[in-house]
Amino acid sequence: MSSLDRTLSIVRGNVTLFVRDPGPLVGRITQPVLLVLLMQPLYVAAIGDGARGTAQVVLGQLVMFSLLGTSVVGSSILTERRWNTLDRLRATPARVPELLTGKAVPVMGFLLLQQAVLLVLGVTVLGLEVTDPALLLLAAVVWAATVLCTGAAIATTVGSLAQFSAVVDVGSTVVAGLSGALVPLAAMPEWARTIAPVWPGYWAMEGLRSALDGDREATLVAVAVLLAFAAAAAAIAAVRLRRGWGRSTLL
């Protein structure tokens, strides 16, 4: 069996798991849609600019729920550990890159769908203005990849699904809040604005907002930083798998 065949086999297995239990996926898509529709008038009134208010609420909820979407990534990986099936996968000829790719493809599809639903809602219903769709697509794909790699790194580092859930729930709120996703940076305290660039969510907001405005240079800078975050997270996940993460005993 070729490397591609092994990867596709893992992809099919994970798609089947998603189809059999779609509840978490549906929730991660419907929740931000409802929040955007409810909160858009508030953001517009608070900011005093229809275009900026709409962009803030759409992009902010996109970043927030993308971060919460790491729960889907972690569940996909940790389920294999709980069922002791990751040990079986490791016993097959499949290599670490094949395992990671096989787990990543279905989750990446979900993250992109989640973002597409919010952006289409913003454009078609709320009048969100997109200057350069191709640039926005680039920023969205890179942000989804960053979320995916981050979720994999966390899932292969923690000792249980409960620990992962705690890290994701608390971490997503903190990162989104300090990145300017929930409140515009201009309205945040000085100390929060100072540390905002430390978080990947800040660069996601910068990249997506710049893409909406058609600012190619600023978008590419944000994309480069996000790719650095993604590469670091992917390296952590790969090292953890190579060192035997997923054995039946907890870390």
Side-chain angles (χ1 to χ4, degrees):
M1 181 180 289
S2 68
S3 175
L4 178 59
D5 290 335
R6 290 192 294 266
T7 301
L8 291 176
S9 178
I10 298 172
V11 170
R12 285 192 294 270
N14 283 276
V15 169
T16 300
L17 292 176
F18 284 159
V19 171
R20 288 179 178 175
D21 185 19
L25 306 183
V26 173
R28 291 303 185 200
I29 292 175
T30 57
Q31 288 175 357
V33 167
L34 292 174
L35 285 175
V36 166
L37 292 174
L38 289 172
M39 297 173 64
Q40 190 256 358
L42 298 177
Y43 274 78
V44 170
I47 294 176
D49 184 307
R52 288 178 55 205
T54 298
Q56 175 66 38
V57 70
V58 172
L59 298 184
Q61 293 303 310
L62 185 154
V63 170
M64 174 69 175
F65 278 87
S66 292
L67 289 168
L68 289 172
T70 54
S71 62
V72 177
V73 181
S75 296
S76 175
I77 295 175
L78 289 166
T79 295
E80 299 280 6
R81 183 182 187 183
R82 186 175 58 190
W83 294 347
N84 293 326
T85 50
L86 190 58
D87 288 339
R88 300 176 192 174
L89 287 174
R90 289 172 57 83
T92 69
R95 300 180 179 87
V96 169
E98 295 166 4
L99 292 175
L100 289 176
T101 302
K103 304 296 293 184
V105 169
V107 180
M108 186 69 172
F110 160 72
L111 292 172
L112 291 175
L113 175 62
Q114 182 189 55
Q115 294 188 36
V117 168
L118 286 175
L119 291 173
V120 169
L121 172 72
V123 172
T124 60
V125 177
L126 303 178
L128 183 68
E129 298 179 2
V130 180
T131 302
D132 191 334
L135 205 58
L136 180 61
L137 176 62
L138 172 64
V141 170
V142 172
W143 171 235
T146 303
V147 171
L148 176 64
C149 293
T150 301
I154 297 173
T156 53
T157 300
V158 299
S160 68
L161 186 57
Q163 292 178 15
F164 179 82
S165 297
V167 171
V168 169
D169 290 345
V170 175
S172 297
T173 303
V174 171
V175 172
L178 293 178
S179 298
L182 302 181
V183 179
L185 285 175
M188 293 171 61
E190 183 177 354
W191 65 266
R193 294 197 300 271
T194 301
I195 66 172
V198 172
W199 310 105
Y202 167 85
W203 294 102
M205 289 294 294
E206 286 294 300
L208 292 166
R209 186 181 291 112
S210 298
L212 287 180
D213 296 337
D215 188 338
R216 183 174 298 272
E217 182 177 354
T219 302
L220 293 179
V221 169
V223 163
V225 176
L226 288 174
L227 287 174
F229 277 109
I236 292 172
V239 168
R240 293 292 293 166
L241 283 173
R242 286 195 179 96
R243 290 182 178 179
W245 179 91
R247 305 295 188 191
S248 57
T249 55
L250 292 179
L251 298 177

